[in-house]
Amino acid sequence: MLTRLILKNLTVFSEAEFTFAPGLNVVVGENGAGKSHFLKAAYTVAAVSAQGGKDSGLLAPTKGYLETAIAKKLRGVFKPDELGRLTRRQQGVQRCEIEARFKSKSLRLGFSFNTKSETKVVIETLPTNWEGQPPVYVPTRELLTIYPGFVSLYETTDLPFEETWRDTCILLGAPLAKGPRLAEIGQMLDPLERQLGGRVLLQDGRFYLKTSDGKVEAHLIAEGMRKLAMIARLIATGSLIGTGSLFWDEPEANLNPKVIKQVARTILQLCQSGIQVFVASHGLFLIRELDILLKGPEFEMVTARFFGLHLGEGGVTVQQGNTVDDIGTIDALQEELSQSDRYIEAEAK
């Protein structure tokens, strides 16, 4: 579980520090303010911390392994031409520093690289243990329709797609979970499957929605509903059950308000079950719905943090707090509120 992330000279961030809640963490900002870059940086740290032990076979992290593994993951997730391109654009050679702190001090990780770096980072703080469960990253695009053959193609061909797509496709293809947590999985899946009108099915390498009338190809389902189906599948495989973390970029994209309400509820149910959730959004409806649910009795035990990213001449600054009122004025949210006011005034004339 991440407790803090410190970014210095990473893309649009000159210096930013994020202090996280163990439950829900919502990052809000304009386009270009660094929401996705923050999400990818946090995901990269969590992914390397979890996958390193499995991929390397090492009982404990080593500087030699992490130097190349982190650099490779950053390049795969961000897709820059060179690693050094991730440093904040200024004259001269710039040094980027990233430090991640976890609930367990043995997982603390710090590293740096500079404008001229290509294939390695410098390990500043070496963790002594690996994280347990791999994180889940849900991009803005649904992945069910590209799943057939995507992982093998990605690993044998130089594709321009972000590595998060490959990582998530691997988790989507995992077998269904079994064991003592099936009751919890069923409880979380029930409202999602009612919204979808069926159950997500993987058959012969392709995804379908199994309904009372038969099965429907994923390609024939509305795009927004396919995103919801991805979450249902990840719950069914156990990737989003128990401990772990979810990084979700713009959950509200291509969804109508009725479905967004279900998404908000699902996010908080995941938090209740023990998943640490990170959401990047500039959708007023989703943020309001989360705020409403957090103030109700059903989710009063879910801890939350909100982060407002504000882009200025000196880079992005971060305002944060325990409620959405603590993050400052976000123009995208204000414009939606202003439009509502203008609509009411126009109707009153």
Side-chain angles (χ1 to χ4, degrees):
M1 182 177 292
L2 274 169
T3 59
R4 187 170 296 178
L5 184 68
I6 302 170
L7 307 176
K8 294 182 180 180
N9 288 329
L10 176 71
T11 63
V12 296
F13 297 98
S14 55
E15 187 167 353
E17 184 170 333
F18 301 81
T19 302
F20 303 123
L24 176 65
N25 298 276
V26 182
V27 181
V28 186
E30 309 297 322
N31 290 329
K35 298 187 304 298
S36 294
H37 286 188
F38 152 78
L39 214 61
K40 290 175 180 178
Y43 171 77
T44 295
V45 169
V48 173
S49 297
Q51 286 294 113
K54 178 181 177 182
D55 294 344
S56 68
L58 297 170
L59 295 178
T62 65
K63 283 190 175 183
Y65 172 77
L66 289 178
E67 283 174 350
T68 54
I70 292 172
K72 182 180 178 182
K73 196 67 179 179
L74 285 169
R75 292 190 64 178
V77 169
F78 282 87
K79 284 295 182 183
D81 290 341
E82 299 291 344
L83 177 62
R85 300 280 292 173
L86 294 179
T87 57
R88 188 163 175 259
R89 304 296 169 82
Q90 291 178 305
Q91 289 185 344
V93 176
Q94 298 298 315
R95 185 169 183 260
C96 172
E97 300 175 33
I98 298 178
E99 181 182 341
R101 300 179 188 177
F102 295 80
K103 185 177 180 180
S104 171
K105 292 182 179 180
S106 66
L107 299 173
R108 184 172 175 177
L109 172 63
F111 59 91
S112 64
F113 57 91
N114 62 45
T115 310
K116 296 183 178 181
S117 299
E118 296 181 0
T119 59
K120 288 186 177 182
V121 301
V122 177
I123 303 301
E124 309 289 350
T125 304
L126 178 67
T128 56
N129 282 317
W130 298 112
E131 175 63 285
Q133 188 164 331
V136 177
Y137 191 102
V138 178
T140 54
R141 190 204 191 282
E142 62 81 24
L143 301 176
L144 296 184
T145 55
I146 70 165
Y147 175 81
F150 180 79
V151 174
S152 60
L153 185 64
Y154 191 94
E155 293 180 345
T156 57
T157 311
D158 186 16
L159 296 178
F161 304 115
E162 298 170 5
E163 194 169 309
T164 55
W165 292 22
R166 171 256 190 197
D167 294 350
T168 306
C169 280
I170 289 175
L171 295 177
L172 287 169
L176 297 177
K178 295 181 180 180
R181 306 209 72 166
L182 279 179
E184 182 182 357
I185 290 173
Q187 187 177 9
M188 295 188 66
L189 280 179
D190 184 58
L192 289 176
E193 291 179 345
R194 285 202 305 269
Q195 188 73 59
L196 290 167
R199 179 170 57 88
V200 181
L201 175 68
L202 177 60
Q203 188 174 71
D204 299 325
R206 299 189 66 186
F207 279 103
Y208 299 86
L209 185 65
K210 188 176 181 180
T211 69
S212 57
D213 298 323
K215 62 181 185 181
V216 182
E217 298 88 333
H219 293 75
L220 303 181
I221 305 169
E223 183 177 356
M225 299 303 282
R226 292 199 293 262
K227 292 178 67 176
L228 200 61
M230 285 174 59
I231 297 298
R233 174 68 186 183
L234 291 166
I235 291 172
T237 62
S239 296
L240 288 178
I241 291 294
T243 59
S245 52
L246 168 63
F247 299 82
W248 197 347
D249 200 356
E250 296 187 12
E252 73 278 8
N254 301 314
L255 295 179
N256 66 54
K258 181 179 179 181
V259 180
I260 292 175
K261 289 173 67 176
Q262 180 58 59
V263 166
R265 181 170 293 276
T266 300
I267 287 171
L268 294 179
Q269 286 174 333
L270 289 170
C271 294
Q272 276 186 329
S273 74
I275 300 292
Q276 187 179 29
V277 179
F278 300 84
V279 168
S281 174
H282 51 63
L284 180 62
F285 193 93
L286 173 65
I287 294 167
R288 273 181 164 178
E289 189 65 25
L290 288 169
D291 193 44
I292 291 168
L293 291 173
L294 284 166
K295 291 175 180 176
E298 184 178 359
F299 298 108
E300 62 182 354
M301 299 304 292
V302 174
T303 56
R305 291 280 288 176
F306 291 83
F307 306 85
L309 305 186
H310 303 271
L311 184 59
E313 292 183 3
V316 170
T317 57
V318 182
Q319 286 185 250
Q320 56 193 288
N322 296 333
T323 72
V324 71
D325 297 326
D326 298 323
I327 65 174
T329 300
I330 305 294
D331 288 344
L333 304 185
Q334 291 301 117
E335 287 298 325
E336 288 194 52
L337 289 169
S338 176
Q339 185 190 53
S340 298
D341 293 339
R342 289 188 290 112
Y343 178 80
I344 293 171
E345 290 175 3
E347 285 293 299
K349 291 181 180 178

